[in-house]
Amino acid sequence: MKRIACFCTILFLSFAVFAQDAGNTENLITSAEKTGAQVYWDSLSGAGILEKNGHQLSFRAGDNFVLQDYKKIALTDAPELKDGVLYVSKQFLLDAEKLFKIENNESGYKIGAVLIDPGHGGKDPGAMDTHTIKGKKVTVKEKDVNLAVGKMLYSRLKTAYPDKKILMTRDTDVFLSLAQRTEIANSVKLKDGEAILYISVHVNSSLDKKASGYEVWYLSPGYRRTVLDKNTTDDKALFEIMNAMTEEEYTTESILIAKFIMDGLQTQIGNLATARGIKAEEWFVVRNSNMPAVLVEVGFLSNEKEAALLVDNSYLQKLSLGIYNGLAAFITHFERSRGFTGTK
C-alpha cells in the first residue's frame, strides 16, 4: 500500500523565498529550480519533500537523515531554516541528485479506493431541529442529510472511477460505532502502489441560530498517532522515525484534500451559504484512520434558512458535486504526479 505524499507548498504556507546563499549552504528553492526538482514544504511540521524523475526525498529541518522513496533511511547534512528560508548543504544536494539519477521503472501510484462515511445513523440521529419550511413543520435529522449526500457522492465517484473501489461505511439507516467506522476504513484491501482516501460527512448544529455555513476539517498537526504496522521494521528507532514522517505526511495530505474540497464546494454553492474554511480538530474518525482523512460539515441544521437548503434535493446535489469535484481534482493531481503531490 502506497502512502500518499502530498505536502502543501509555497502558496499554501508562509514560506519566504529568497535568491541568496548562506556560507557553504544554498537556498533549497533556488537550487531546485535550477535542477528541475519540485520542493513541497510544510511549515507546521518542519518537514518537506524534494521530488524529481519519479523519486522522492523526504526530509525535516534540523534532521541529518532523509527517507528515500519511502524505503530507505540515509544520512546526510541537516537542512537549516533561517529567517523563513530553507538552506541545505552542497552534500545534501549531491546526495539528492544520486537518488534522482537512479532509473525508475515503477509505473506510478494511484488512488485505489475512496471510503465515504455518512455520520450517525439508526438509533443515533445526530443533530436534530424542527423548522417551518414551506408552511410545514419539518424535523431535520443529521443522519438523513449525511446519508443523502453520501449516496449522491458515491454515485458520482462510482460512475467516474469504475476501476477504483468506491465504498460506504453505511448505505442505509443503520447504526455504526465510531470504532466500527475506522475499523472498516483500516481494513480495506489495496494492491501495491494504491492509496485510500477517507471522507466523513456530517451536519453542524449550534445554540446560536444565526450560525451557518460549511467547513472541512482535518487532523490537528498537534495530535500524534501510530499509523504504520508495528511489523514494518524490527528496529524501534527506525520505526519511530518512519512513523513520524508518515504521520506528518498524512496530516499535510489531509490539508490539501480539504483545500480541494473547499474549493469545489465554494464553486457549487456560491452565495447560497457561507464558506467557513478548513480547520483542524482531533475527531475520532479522523485521528483513528490510518490514511489521509477529512470531515466535511455541510451546513447548520439549527439555522432555519440553511435547514431548508439541507432538505432540498437540488442543494444536496450541489454539495455532493462540490465534494466530488474536490476529490476528483486531488485524484488527478496525485496520479499525474506519480504519487508525489503538491499545489502550485
Side-chain angles (χ1 to χ4, degrees):
M1 173 178 165
K2 166 65 171 62
R3 296 176 287 108
I4 301 179
C6 60
F7 274 68
C8 308
T9 56
I10 313 309
L11 286 182
F12 199 43
L13 299 164
S14 56
F15 183 66
V17 179
F18 300 100
Q20 76 260 26
D21 292 345
N24 294 323
T25 60
E26 297 185 20
N27 179 320
L28 180 58
I29 301 300
T30 303
S31 298
E33 288 177 348
K34 293 177 181 177
T35 62
Q38 298 280 346
V39 180
Y40 308 126
W41 170 252
D42 175 15
S43 64
L44 295 175
S45 62
I49 293 173
L50 191 62
E51 186 268 320
K52 183 179 177 182
N53 297 337
H55 290 287
Q56 183 189 57
L57 194 73
S58 300
F59 62 88
R60 188 162 49 193
D63 286 350
N64 65 344
F65 57 84
V66 294
L67 180 62
Q68 299 178 340
D69 290 340
Y70 299 115
K71 300 175 183 177
K72 179 182 177 183
I73 296 289
L75 296 177
T76 188
D77 294 340
E80 297 181 72
L81 190 62
K82 300 177 181 178
D83 299 323
V85 183
L86 191 62
Y87 291 99
V88 294
S89 70
K90 289 182 172 61
Q91 186 60 52
F92 180 97
L93 295 172
L94 287 173
D95 291 342
E97 280 302 316
K98 288 180 183 178
L99 172 66
F100 299 153
K101 289 179 180 179
I102 298 174
E103 184 176 356
N104 194 331
N105 296 317
E106 295 183 7
S107 59
Y109 303 102
K110 70 174 186 176
I111 302 300
V114 179
L115 180 61
I116 304 162
D117 177 29
H120 306 281
K123 65 181 182 180
D124 174 18
M128 297 173 55
D129 212 334
T130 301
H131 301 278
T132 301
I133 301 174
K134 294 181 180 180
K136 297 181 179 180
K137 290 286 185 180
V138 178
T139 298
V140 185
K141 298 180 180 180
E142 180 183 0
K143 68 174 184 177
D144 296 334
V145 179
N146 296 343
L147 184 58
V149 174
K151 291 174 75 171
M152 291 174 184
L153 178 59
Y154 172 87
S155 179
R156 293 182 187 279
L157 289 169
K158 195 72 174 175
T159 300
Y161 301 106
D163 60 326
K164 303 183 188 302
K165 291 181 180 179
I166 309 300
L167 309 167
M168 298 184 71
T169 53
R170 69 179 183 97
D171 57 9
T172 59
D173 185 19
V174 297
F175 172 78
L176 291 173
S177 68
L178 297 177
Q180 285 176 307
R181 295 171 191 272
T182 52
E183 183 179 347
I184 291 171
N186 293 331
S187 64
V188 174
K189 302 298 182 183
L190 297 171
K191 298 177 182 177
D192 289 341
E194 289 186 340
I196 179 173
L197 308 180
Y198 183 96
I199 313 299
S200 186
V201 181
H202 284 259
V203 181
N204 238 326
S205 182
S206 173
L207 293 176
D208 179 3
K209 300 300 182 180
K210 294 181 180 180
S212 66
Y214 52 90
E215 54 200 22
V216 187
W217 295 80
Y218 61 91
L219 181 65
S220 169
Y223 184 83
R224 290 295 171 248
R225 54 183 171 156
T226 299
V227 295
L228 292 183
D229 189 310
K230 292 288 187 181
N231 297 320
T232 300
T233 175
D234 293 330
D235 187 325
K236 183 178 180 181
L238 180 59
F239 175 83
E240 291 178 354
I241 292 170
M242 294 182 70
N243 183 75
M245 298 183 84
T246 303
E247 183 206 22
E248 287 165 356
E249 289 170 8
Y250 279 173
T251 299
T252 49
E253 290 152 14
S254 299
I255 295 173
L256 187 57
I257 296 169
K259 181 180 182 298
F260 274 120
I261 290 176
M262 178 55 63
D263 290 345
L265 286 169
Q266 284 182 280
T267 299
Q268 292 302 314
I269 302 304
N271 60 5
L272 291 175
T274 303
R276 295 166 62 92
I278 59 176
K279 303 178 181 182
E281 184 54 89
E282 296 174 8
W283 299 112
F284 184 94
V285 291
V286 175
R287 74 173 187 261
N288 287 284
S289 52
N290 297 335
M291 62 201 65
V294 297
L295 186 148
V296 184
E297 294 275 9
V298 298
F300 282 77
L301 55 74
S302 50
N303 181 291
E304 188 170 9
K305 178 182 176 182
E306 202 151 87
L309 291 174
L310 293 173
V311 295
D312 183 334
N313 188 70
S314 64
Y315 184 76
L316 298 185
Q317 289 287 0
K318 288 180 181 293
L319 287 172
S320 69
L321 181 56
I323 298 171
Y324 163 79
N325 285 340
L327 288 172
F330 177 82
I331 290 170
T332 297
H333 191 64
F334 175 77
E335 295 184 343
R336 283 182 178 175
S337 63
R338 296 172 59 88
F340 306 138
T341 70
T343 56
K344 285 293 183 183

